[in-house]
């Protein structure tokens, strides 16, 4: 963590490309995983969104003032990139819809059928619910950090999490996962 703070300082204060490159190495996989889950397993789209996130982060790293953790700042940029992508009319990136019999293309899929069902279940959530659920459960971010990333109060994040859990519970029960 101390090393990360030094890298962030070097990148922000001195425009050190090498330090920023190291930060990209640290956060590339988590950011891609975040996008992969938001897009329902679209690895190519996730790669493009991650690249756009890091370009925007590099262009504005000089304005980073450590009011929040670097990861919070970076995920905020990633969330905004995703929302901008949705507003630009690329609805398939906002509403994942895995086709039956196809496995999402993300690298870390372990159980194909469950992964497809999870992608379908996540598509039943709003973008805000899906984002909150992914950051909380898959990225282990606390509610306060999610609030900072999403730019909303912690209570709103808790509401997104509650509604998301309810919707996922209904979906998985309907699919027969709760009847064992």
């Amino acid at each position: 963590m101390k090393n990360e703070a030094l890298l962030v300082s070097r990148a922000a204060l001195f425009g050190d490309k090498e330090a920023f490159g190291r930060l990209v190495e640290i956060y590339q996989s988590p950011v891609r995983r975040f996008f992969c889950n938001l897009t329902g397993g679209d690895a190519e789209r996730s790669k493009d969104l991650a690249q756009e996130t890091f370009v925007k982060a590099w262009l504005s790293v000089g304005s980073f003032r450590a009011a929040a953790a670097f990861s919070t700042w970076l995920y905020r940029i990633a969330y905004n990139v995703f929302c901008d992508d949705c507003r630009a009319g690329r609805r398939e990136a906002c509403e994942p819809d895995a086709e039956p019999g196809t496995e999402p293309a993300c690298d870390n899929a372990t159980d194909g059928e469950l992964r497809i069902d999870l992608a379908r279940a996540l598509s039943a959530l709003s973008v805000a619910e899906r984002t909150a659920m992914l950051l909380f459960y898959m990225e282990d971010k606390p509610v306060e950090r999610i609030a900072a990333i999403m730019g909303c109060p912690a209570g709103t994040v808790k509401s997104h999490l509650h509604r998301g859990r309810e919707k996922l519970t209904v979906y998985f029960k309907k699919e027969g996962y709760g009847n064992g």
Side-chain angles (χ1 to χ4, degrees):
M1 204 61 169
K2 194 178 214 181
N3 189 29
E4 181 180 314
L6 180 60
L7 291 171
V8 171
S9 295
R10 286 179 35 205
L13 297 174
F14 306 111
D16 185 332
K17 290 180 184 178
E18 188 176 314
F20 189 78
R22 180 68 186 116
L23 290 168
V24 170
E25 289 173 13
I26 292 168
Y27 287 104
Q28 186 171 32
S29 289
V31 168
R32 277 191 181 171
R33 180 179 58 237
F34 174 63
F35 284 131
C36 196
N37 287 306
L38 280 173
T39 62
D42 186 339
E44 204 53 44
R45 182 108 226 104
S46 299
K47 187 174 156 185
D48 291 345
L49 291 170
Q51 182 175 354
E52 186 174 344
T53 296
F54 288 113
V55 167
K56 286 186 178 199
W58 170 249
L59 293 174
S60 58
V61 72
S63 67
F64 177 73
R65 296 289 173 250
F70 180 78
S71 64
T72 302
W73 180 78
L74 183 63
Y75 275 94
R76 175 71 182 168
I77 292 170
Y79 177 67
N80 287 338
V81 164
F82 182 75
C83 290
D84 290 348
D85 192 62
C86 290
R87 282 191 289 272
R90 296 185 196 102
R91 295 304 307 172
E92 71 278 359
C94 307
E95 306 300 333
D97 188 25
E99 292 294 321
T102 62
E103 188 170 327
C106 291
D107 298 342
N108 54 356
T110 53
D111 179 1
E113 286 183 21
L114 182 57
R115 188 98 176 121
I116 290 169
D117 282 348
L118 181 58
R120 286 189 190 129
L122 288 171
S123 72
L125 306 180
S126 71
V127 170
E129 292 164 349
R130 191 174 340 136
T131 301
M133 295 288 286
L134 292 170
L135 288 171
F136 188 79
Y137 289 106
M138 299 192 82
E139 303 300 327
D140 282 335
K141 302 287 183 202
V143 168
E144 295 75 24
R145 275 227 166 124
I146 298 169
I149 289 166
M150 295 179 69
C152 63
T156 302
V157 171
K158 290 177 184 176
S159 294
H160 290 319
L161 289 169
H162 178 74
R163 282 193 304 274
R165 280 189 294 266
E166 285 181 339
K167 288 178 182 178
L168 290 178
T169 299
V170 167
Y171 175 86
F172 284 116
K173 280 184 180 177
K174 186 179 97 184
E175 294 298 314
Y177 283 96
N179 304 330

mmCIF file of all heavy atoms in Angstrom, residues 24-64:
data_model
loop_
_atom_site.group_PDB
_atom_site.id
_atom_site.type_symbol
_atom_site.label_atom_id
_atom_site.label_comp_id
_atom_site.label_asym_id
_atom_site.label_seq_id
_atom_site.Cartn_x
_atom_site.Cartn_y
_atom_site.Cartn_z
ATOM 1 N N VAL A 24 -1.403 0.916 -13.614
ATOM 2 C CA VAL A 24 -2.238 0.211 -14.597
ATOM 3 C C VAL A 24 -2.066 -1.292 -14.419
ATOM 4 O O VAL A 24 -3.051 -2.039 -14.416
ATOM 5 C CB VAL A 24 -1.895 0.648 -16.044
ATOM 6 C CG1 VAL A 24 -2.592 -0.251 -17.058
ATOM 7 C CG2 VAL A 24 -2.284 2.108 -16.272
ATOM 8 N N GLU A 25 -0.838 -1.753 -14.244
ATOM 9 C CA GLU A 25 -0.595 -3.181 -14.027
ATOM 10 C C GLU A 25 -1.331 -3.686 -12.790
ATOM 11 O O GLU A 25 -1.891 -4.779 -12.796
ATOM 12 C CB GLU A 25 0.906 -3.454 -13.870
ATOM 13 C CG GLU A 25 1.692 -3.295 -15.138
ATOM 14 C CD GLU A 25 3.197 -3.417 -14.902
ATOM 15 O OE1 GLU A 25 3.619 -3.870 -13.806
ATOM 16 O OE2 GLU A 25 3.956 -3.036 -15.807
ATOM 17 N N ILE A 26 -1.338 -2.889 -11.737
ATOM 18 C CA ILE A 26 -1.990 -3.277 -10.482
ATOM 19 C C ILE A 26 -3.506 -3.364 -10.656
ATOM 20 O O ILE A 26 -4.152 -4.291 -10.171
ATOM 21 C CB ILE A 26 -1.639 -2.285 -9.350
ATOM 22 C CG1 ILE A 26 -0.155 -2.403 -8.996
ATOM 23 C CG2 ILE A 26 -2.530 -2.502 -8.123
ATOM 24 C CD1 ILE A 26 0.359 -1.274 -8.105
ATOM 25 N N TYR A 27 -4.088 -2.393 -11.364
ATOM 26 C CA TYR A 27 -5.548 -2.273 -11.419
ATOM 27 C C TYR A 27 -6.186 -2.780 -12.705
ATOM 28 O O TYR A 27 -7.411 -2.830 -12.798
ATOM 29 C CB TYR A 27 -5.968 -0.815 -11.174
ATOM 30 C CG TYR A 27 -5.798 -0.420 -9.739
ATOM 31 C CD1 TYR A 27 -4.732 0.373 -9.335
ATOM 32 C CD2 TYR A 27 -6.698 -0.862 -8.779
ATOM 33 C CE1 TYR A 27 -4.570 0.721 -8.011
ATOM 34 C CE2 TYR A 27 -6.545 -0.519 -7.454
ATOM 35 C CZ TYR A 27 -5.482 0.273 -7.073
ATOM 36 O OH TYR A 27 -5.323 0.600 -5.762
ATOM 37 N N GLN A 28 -5.404 -3.183 -13.671
ATOM 38 C CA GLN A 28 -5.977 -3.604 -14.944
ATOM 39 C C GLN A 28 -6.935 -4.783 -14.799
ATOM 40 O O GLN A 28 -8.051 -4.750 -15.313
ATOM 41 C CB GLN A 28 -4.869 -3.934 -15.943
ATOM 42 C CG GLN A 28 -5.395 -4.228 -17.327
ATOM 43 C CD GLN A 28 -4.264 -4.340 -18.328
ATOM 44 O OE1 GLN A 28 -3.169 -4.765 -18.006
ATOM 45 N NE2 GLN A 28 -4.548 -3.944 -19.557
ATOM 46 N N SER A 29 -6.533 -5.820 -14.108
ATOM 47 C CA SER A 29 -7.397 -6.997 -13.949
ATOM 48 C C SER A 29 -8.665 -6.683 -13.164
ATOM 49 O O SER A 29 -9.763 -7.051 -13.596
ATOM 50 C CB SER A 29 -6.641 -8.144 -13.295
ATOM 51 O OG SER A 29 -5.705 -8.664 -14.200
ATOM 52 N N PRO A 30 -8.576 -5.992 -12.020
ATOM 53 C CA PRO A 30 -9.813 -5.674 -11.302
ATOM 54 C C PRO A 30 -10.770 -4.783 -12.102
ATOM 55 O O PRO A 30 -11.990 -5.002 -12.077
ATOM 56 C CB PRO A 30 -9.329 -4.954 -10.044
ATOM 57 C CG PRO A 30 -7.924 -5.381 -9.855
ATOM 58 C CD PRO A 30 -7.383 -5.644 -11.237
ATOM 59 N N VAL A 31 -10.238 -3.820 -12.832
ATOM 60 C CA VAL A 31 -11.106 -2.936 -13.622
ATOM 61 C C VAL A 31 -11.749 -3.710 -14.771
ATOM 62 O O VAL A 31 -12.943 -3.572 -15.035
ATOM 63 C CB VAL A 31 -10.330 -1.689 -14.121
ATOM 64 C CG1 VAL A 31 -11.114 -0.925 -15.171
ATOM 65 C CG2 VAL A 31 -9.981 -0.786 -12.942
ATOM 66 N N ARG A 32 -10.983 -4.559 -15.434
ATOM 67 C CA ARG A 32 -11.562 -5.384 -16.505
ATOM 68 C C ARG A 32 -12.633 -6.328 -15.963
ATOM 69 O O ARG A 32 -13.664 -6.535 -16.589
ATOM 70 C CB ARG A 32 -10.490 -6.196 -17.212
ATOM 71 C CG ARG A 32 -9.769 -5.426 -18.265
ATOM 72 C CD ARG A 32 -8.924 -6.370 -19.079
ATOM 73 N NE ARG A 32 -8.200 -5.658 -20.101
ATOM 74 C CZ ARG A 32 -7.261 -6.199 -20.833
ATOM 75 N NH1 ARG A 32 -6.934 -7.466 -20.667
ATOM 76 N NH2 ARG A 32 -6.648 -5.501 -21.743
ATOM 77 N N ARG A 33 -12.370 -6.930 -14.793
ATOM 78 C CA ARG A 33 -13.348 -7.823 -14.176
ATOM 79 C C ARG A 33 -14.626 -7.060 -13.853
ATOM 80 O O ARG A 33 -15.737 -7.537 -14.097
ATOM 81 C CB ARG A 33 -12.766 -8.450 -12.908
ATOM 82 C CG ARG A 33 -13.715 -9.401 -12.205
ATOM 83 C CD ARG A 33 -13.108 -10.026 -10.957
ATOM 84 N NE ARG A 33 -12.700 -9.003 -10.001
ATOM 85 C CZ ARG A 33 -11.465 -8.875 -9.524
ATOM 86 N NH1 ARG A 33 -10.506 -9.688 -9.885
ATOM 87 N NH2 ARG A 33 -11.186 -7.920 -8.657
ATOM 88 N N PHE A 34 -14.487 -5.843 -13.343
ATOM 89 C CA PHE A 34 -15.628 -4.978 -13.033
ATOM 90 C C PHE A 34 -16.454 -4.750 -14.302
ATOM 91 O O PHE A 34 -17.675 -4.953 -14.311
ATOM 92 C CB PHE A 34 -15.103 -3.664 -12.452
ATOM 93 C CG PHE A 34 -16.143 -2.614 -12.204
ATOM 94 C CD1 PHE A 34 -17.164 -2.829 -11.288
ATOM 95 C CD2 PHE A 34 -16.073 -1.394 -12.851
ATOM 96 C CE1 PHE A 34 -18.104 -1.842 -11.041
ATOM 97 C CE2 PHE A 34 -17.005 -0.405 -12.611
ATOM 98 C CZ PHE A 34 -18.028 -0.619 -11.698
ATOM 99 N N PHE A 35 -15.789 -4.372 -15.383
ATOM 100 C CA PHE A 35 -16.501 -4.148 -16.642
ATOM 101 C C PHE A 35 -17.068 -5.443 -17.211
ATOM 102 O O PHE A 35 -18.164 -5.459 -17.762
ATOM 103 C CB PHE A 35 -15.594 -3.485 -17.687
ATOM 104 C CG PHE A 35 -15.375 -2.017 -17.456
ATOM 105 C CD1 PHE A 35 -14.095 -1.484 -17.473
ATOM 106 C CD2 PHE A 35 -16.441 -1.165 -17.240
ATOM 107 C CE1 PHE A 35 -13.890 -0.130 -17.276
ATOM 108 C CE2 PHE A 35 -16.242 0.198 -17.036
ATOM 109 C CZ PHE A 35 -14.968 0.716 -17.052
ATOM 110 N N CYS A 36 -16.318 -6.516 -17.090
ATOM 111 C CA CYS A 36 -16.779 -7.796 -17.616
ATOM 112 C C CYS A 36 -18.101 -8.188 -16.962
ATOM 113 O O CYS A 36 -19.028 -8.647 -17.632
ATOM 114 C CB CYS A 36 -15.721 -8.865 -17.381
ATOM 115 S SG CYS A 36 -15.975 -10.331 -18.371
ATOM 116 N N ASN A 37 -18.201 -7.975 -15.665
ATOM 117 C CA ASN A 37 -19.438 -8.280 -14.967
ATOM 118 C C ASN A 37 -20.543 -7.290 -15.308
ATOM 119 O O ASN A 37 -21.705 -7.665 -15.410
ATOM 120 C CB ASN A 37 -19.199 -8.334 -13.463
ATOM 121 C CG ASN A 37 -18.451 -9.580 -13.068
ATOM 122 O OD1 ASN A 37 -18.858 -10.685 -13.381
ATOM 123 N ND2 ASN A 37 -17.327 -9.411 -12.394
ATOM 124 N N LEU A 38 -20.198 -6.023 -15.501
ATOM 125 C CA LEU A 38 -21.211 -5.032 -15.882
ATOM 126 C C LEU A 38 -21.769 -5.301 -17.274
ATOM 127 O O LEU A 38 -22.939 -5.039 -17.541
ATOM 128 C CB LEU A 38 -20.627 -3.615 -15.840
ATOM 129 C CG LEU A 38 -20.533 -2.951 -14.478
ATOM 130 C CD1 LEU A 38 -19.791 -1.629 -14.592
ATOM 131 C CD2 LEU A 38 -21.901 -2.738 -13.857
ATOM 132 N N THR A 39 -20.933 -5.821 -18.162
ATOM 133 C CA THR A 39 -21.362 -6.024 -19.555
ATOM 134 C C THR A 39 -21.833 -7.438 -19.831
ATOM 135 O O THR A 39 -22.047 -7.804 -20.991
ATOM 136 C CB THR A 39 -20.220 -5.679 -20.532
ATOM 137 O OG1 THR A 39 -19.121 -6.560 -20.297
ATOM 138 C CG2 THR A 39 -19.773 -4.228 -20.408
ATOM 139 N N GLY A 40 -21.988 -8.234 -18.802
ATOM 140 C CA GLY A 40 -22.487 -9.592 -18.985
ATOM 141 C C GLY A 40 -21.506 -10.524 -19.659
ATOM 142 O O GLY A 40 -21.899 -11.478 -20.319
ATOM 143 N N GLY A 41 -20.223 -10.256 -19.499
ATOM 144 C CA GLY A 41 -19.217 -11.158 -20.034
ATOM 145 C C GLY A 41 -18.626 -10.758 -21.367
ATOM 146 O O GLY A 41 -17.890 -11.530 -21.970
ATOM 147 N N ASP A 42 -18.909 -9.563 -21.840
ATOM 148 C CA ASP A 42 -18.374 -9.100 -23.115
ATOM 149 C C ASP A 42 -16.922 -8.664 -22.918
ATOM 150 O O ASP A 42 -16.639 -7.520 -22.546
ATOM 151 C CB ASP A 42 -19.228 -7.944 -23.646
ATOM 152 C CG ASP A 42 -18.825 -7.495 -25.036
ATOM 153 O OD1 ASP A 42 -17.678 -7.762 -25.458
ATOM 154 O OD2 ASP A 42 -19.663 -6.853 -25.707
ATOM 155 N N ALA A 43 -16.000 -9.588 -23.148
ATOM 156 C CA ALA A 43 -14.580 -9.344 -22.889
ATOM 157 C C ALA A 43 -14.020 -8.214 -23.756
ATOM 158 O O ALA A 43 -13.212 -7.407 -23.277
ATOM 159 C CB ALA A 43 -13.781 -10.618 -23.108
ATOM 160 N N GLU A 44 -14.425 -8.157 -25.005
ATOM 161 C CA GLU A 44 -13.910 -7.125 -25.910
ATOM 162 C C GLU A 44 -14.362 -5.733 -25.462
ATOM 163 O O GLU A 44 -13.571 -4.795 -25.419
ATOM 164 C CB GLU A 44 -14.372 -7.413 -27.334
ATOM 165 C CG GLU A 44 -13.505 -6.813 -28.401
ATOM 166 C CD GLU A 44 -12.025 -7.166 -28.263
ATOM 167 O OE1 GLU A 44 -11.673 -8.315 -27.995
ATOM 168 O OE2 GLU A 44 -11.200 -6.243 -28.440
ATOM 169 N N ARG A 45 -15.639 -5.615 -25.122
ATOM 170 C CA ARG A 45 -16.182 -4.348 -24.640
ATOM 171 C C ARG A 45 -15.504 -3.971 -23.317
ATOM 172 O O ARG A 45 -15.167 -2.813 -23.086
ATOM 173 C CB ARG A 45 -17.691 -4.469 -24.435
ATOM 174 C CG ARG A 45 -18.325 -3.196 -23.992
ATOM 175 C CD ARG A 45 -19.149 -2.610 -25.148
ATOM 176 N NE ARG A 45 -18.900 -1.204 -25.290
ATOM 177 C CZ ARG A 45 -18.140 -0.672 -26.237
ATOM 178 N NH1 ARG A 45 -17.550 -1.387 -27.124
ATOM 179 N NH2 ARG A 45 -17.978 0.624 -26.313
ATOM 180 N N SER A 46 -15.296 -4.954 -22.451
ATOM 181 C CA SER A 46 -14.647 -4.710 -21.158
ATOM 182 C C SER A 46 -13.235 -4.175 -21.356
ATOM 183 O O SER A 46 -12.802 -3.252 -20.667
ATOM 184 C CB SER A 46 -14.601 -5.995 -20.337
ATOM 185 O OG SER A 46 -15.897 -6.458 -20.088
ATOM 186 N N LYS A 47 -12.528 -4.764 -22.301
ATOM 187 C CA LYS A 47 -11.168 -4.331 -22.623
ATOM 188 C C LYS A 47 -11.170 -2.880 -23.115
ATOM 189 O O LYS A 47 -10.358 -2.062 -22.682
ATOM 190 C CB LYS A 47 -10.591 -5.274 -23.675
ATOM 191 C CG LYS A 47 -9.160 -5.085 -24.010
ATOM 192 C CD LYS A 47 -8.730 -6.198 -24.959
ATOM 193 C CE LYS A 47 -7.546 -5.810 -25.776
ATOM 194 N NZ LYS A 47 -7.200 -6.829 -26.765
ATOM 195 N N ASP A 48 -12.107 -2.551 -24.003
ATOM 196 C CA ASP A 48 -12.209 -1.189 -24.528
ATOM 197 C C ASP A 48 -12.544 -0.185 -23.423
ATOM 198 O O ASP A 48 -11.958 0.903 -23.356
ATOM 199 C CB ASP A 48 -13.276 -1.105 -25.625
ATOM 200 C CG ASP A 48 -12.887 -1.837 -26.893
ATOM 201 O OD1 ASP A 48 -11.690 -2.183 -27.055
ATOM 202 O OD2 ASP A 48 -13.782 -2.086 -27.734
ATOM 203 N N LEU A 49 -13.500 -0.545 -22.564
ATOM 204 C CA LEU A 49 -13.895 0.351 -21.477
ATOM 205 C C LEU A 49 -12.754 0.535 -20.483
ATOM 206 O O LEU A 49 -12.530 1.644 -19.986
ATOM 207 C CB LEU A 49 -15.147 -0.186 -20.776
ATOM 208 C CG LEU A 49 -16.435 -0.151 -21.602
ATOM 209 C CD1 LEU A 49 -17.542 -0.928 -20.894
ATOM 210 C CD2 LEU A 49 -16.875 1.275 -21.892
ATOM 211 N N ALA A 50 -12.020 -0.540 -20.206
ATOM 212 C CA ALA A 50 -10.876 -0.432 -19.291
ATOM 213 C C ALA A 50 -9.809 0.484 -19.892
ATOM 214 O O ALA A 50 -9.249 1.337 -19.195
ATOM 215 C CB ALA A 50 -10.302 -1.814 -18.999
ATOM 216 N N GLN A 51 -9.552 0.320 -21.180
ATOM 217 C CA GLN A 51 -8.560 1.171 -21.837
ATOM 218 C C GLN A 51 -8.987 2.636 -21.753
ATOM 219 O O GLN A 51 -8.178 3.510 -21.434
ATOM 220 C CB GLN A 51 -8.384 0.744 -23.291
ATOM 221 C CG GLN A 51 -7.335 1.544 -24.018
ATOM 222 C CD GLN A 51 -7.092 1.017 -25.440
ATOM 223 O OE1 GLN A 51 -7.625 0.002 -25.840
ATOM 224 N NE2 GLN A 51 -6.278 1.732 -26.169
ATOM 225 N N GLU A 52 -10.249 2.900 -22.023
ATOM 226 C CA GLU A 52 -10.750 4.280 -21.937
ATOM 227 C C GLU A 52 -10.617 4.816 -20.512
ATOM 228 O O GLU A 52 -10.273 5.978 -20.305
ATOM 229 C CB GLU A 52 -12.209 4.337 -22.399
ATOM 230 C CG GLU A 52 -12.752 5.743 -22.472
ATOM 231 C CD GLU A 52 -14.152 5.809 -23.059
ATOM 232 O OE1 GLU A 52 -14.600 4.837 -23.694
ATOM 233 O OE2 GLU A 52 -14.793 6.850 -22.865
ATOM 234 N N THR A 53 -10.879 3.961 -19.538
ATOM 235 C CA THR A 53 -10.750 4.363 -18.129
ATOM 236 C C THR A 53 -9.317 4.793 -17.819
ATOM 237 O O THR A 53 -9.093 5.847 -17.215
ATOM 238 C CB THR A 53 -11.168 3.208 -17.196
ATOM 239 O OG1 THR A 53 -12.546 2.934 -17.414
ATOM 240 C CG2 THR A 53 -10.920 3.554 -15.737
ATOM 241 N N PHE A 54 -8.352 4.002 -18.243
ATOM 242 C CA PHE A 54 -6.962 4.321 -17.930
ATOM 243 C C PHE A 54 -6.470 5.543 -18.700
ATOM 244 O O PHE A 54 -5.668 6.317 -18.170
ATOM 245 C CB PHE A 54 -6.059 3.103 -18.147
ATOM 246 C CG PHE A 54 -6.268 2.057 -17.092
ATOM 247 C CD1 PHE A 54 -6.819 0.832 -17.412
ATOM 248 C CD2 PHE A 54 -5.937 2.307 -15.772
ATOM 249 C CE1 PHE A 54 -7.020 -0.135 -16.436
ATOM 250 C CE2 PHE A 54 -6.139 1.349 -14.779
ATOM 251 C CZ PHE A 54 -6.689 0.129 -15.111
ATOM 252 N N VAL A 55 -6.955 5.737 -19.907
ATOM 253 C CA VAL A 55 -6.599 6.953 -20.647
ATOM 254 C C VAL A 55 -7.138 8.179 -19.908
ATOM 255 O O VAL A 55 -6.419 9.160 -19.687
ATOM 256 C CB VAL A 55 -7.133 6.902 -22.100
ATOM 257 C CG1 VAL A 55 -7.044 8.265 -22.770
ATOM 258 C CG2 VAL A 55 -6.368 5.854 -22.909
ATOM 259 N N LYS A 56 -8.407 8.119 -19.503
ATOM 260 C CA LYS A 56 -8.992 9.255 -18.773
ATOM 261 C C LYS A 56 -8.282 9.473 -17.440
ATOM 262 O O LYS A 56 -8.077 10.612 -17.020
ATOM 263 C CB LYS A 56 -10.485 9.042 -18.561
ATOM 264 C CG LYS A 56 -11.270 9.235 -19.838
ATOM 265 C CD LYS A 56 -12.762 9.181 -19.621
ATOM 266 C CE LYS A 56 -13.433 9.446 -20.968
ATOM 267 N NZ LYS A 56 -14.789 9.857 -20.850
ATOM 268 N N ALA A 57 -7.930 8.375 -16.772
ATOM 269 C CA ALA A 57 -7.216 8.500 -15.499
ATOM 270 C C ALA A 57 -5.857 9.170 -15.713
ATOM 271 O O ALA A 57 -5.473 10.057 -14.945
ATOM 272 C CB ALA A 57 -7.048 7.131 -14.845
ATOM 273 N N TRP A 58 -5.134 8.777 -16.756
ATOM 274 C CA TRP A 58 -3.834 9.379 -17.034
ATOM 275 C C TRP A 58 -3.988 10.865 -17.327
ATOM 276 O O TRP A 58 -3.222 11.691 -16.829
ATOM 277 C CB TRP A 58 -3.133 8.669 -18.193
ATOM 278 C CG TRP A 58 -1.914 9.423 -18.651
ATOM 279 C CD1 TRP A 58 -1.747 10.070 -19.829
ATOM 280 C CD2 TRP A 58 -0.703 9.633 -17.906
ATOM 281 N NE1 TRP A 58 -0.507 10.662 -19.873
ATOM 282 C CE2 TRP A 58 0.151 10.411 -18.702
ATOM 283 C CE3 TRP A 58 -0.267 9.239 -16.647
ATOM 284 C CZ2 TRP A 58 1.419 10.800 -18.278
ATOM 285 C CZ3 TRP A 58 1.000 9.621 -16.228
ATOM 286 C CH2 TRP A 58 1.826 10.399 -17.042
ATOM 287 N N LEU A 59 -4.998 11.206 -18.119
ATOM 288 C CA LEU A 59 -5.194 12.607 -18.485
ATOM 289 C C LEU A 59 -5.563 13.484 -17.294
ATOM 290 O O LEU A 59 -5.312 14.689 -17.312
ATOM 291 C CB LEU A 59 -6.259 12.724 -19.575
ATOM 292 C CG LEU A 59 -5.874 12.122 -20.933
ATOM 293 C CD1 LEU A 59 -7.058 12.164 -21.896
ATOM 294 C CD2 LEU A 59 -4.662 12.847 -21.520
ATOM 295 N N SER A 60 -6.147 12.881 -16.255
ATOM 296 C CA SER A 60 -6.554 13.687 -15.104
ATOM 297 C C SER A 60 -5.811 13.329 -13.818
ATOM 298 O O SER A 60 -6.164 13.831 -12.753
ATOM 299 C CB SER A 60 -8.064 13.576 -14.895
ATOM 300 O OG SER A 60 -8.448 12.243 -14.713
ATOM 301 N N VAL A 61 -4.773 12.499 -13.906
ATOM 302 C CA VAL A 61 -4.053 12.088 -12.697
ATOM 303 C C VAL A 61 -3.447 13.278 -11.963
ATOM 304 O O VAL A 61 -3.333 13.267 -10.738
ATOM 305 C CB VAL A 61 -2.990 10.996 -12.984
ATOM 306 C CG1 VAL A 61 -1.793 11.563 -13.740
ATOM 307 C CG2 VAL A 61 -2.582 10.291 -11.706
ATOM 308 N N GLY A 62 -3.106 14.317 -12.671
ATOM 309 C CA GLY A 62 -2.557 15.521 -12.033
ATOM 310 C C GLY A 62 -3.539 16.201 -11.110
ATOM 311 O O GLY A 62 -3.147 16.942 -10.208
ATOM 312 N N SER A 63 -4.833 15.934 -11.297
ATOM 313 C CA SER A 63 -5.848 16.543 -10.440
ATOM 314 C C SER A 63 -6.196 15.658 -9.239
ATOM 315 O O SER A 63 -6.978 16.067 -8.387
ATOM 316 C CB SER A 63 -7.118 16.844 -11.240
ATOM 317 O OG SER A 63 -7.727 15.635 -11.659
ATOM 318 N N PHE A 64 -5.600 14.458 -9.165
ATOM 319 C CA PHE A 64 -5.863 13.569 -8.035
ATOM 320 C C PHE A 64 -5.257 14.185 -6.776
ATOM 321 O O PHE A 64 -4.084 14.507 -6.741
ATOM 322 C CB PHE A 64 -5.271 12.176 -8.289
ATOM 323 C CG PHE A 64 -5.451 11.236 -7.132
ATOM 324 C CD1 PHE A 64 -6.699 10.706 -6.845
ATOM 325 C CD2 PHE A 64 -4.386 10.901 -6.318
ATOM 326 C CE1 PHE A 64 -6.875 9.859 -5.764
ATOM 327 C CE2 PHE A 64 -4.549 10.048 -5.240
ATOM 328 C CZ PHE A 64 -5.801 9.531 -4.963
#
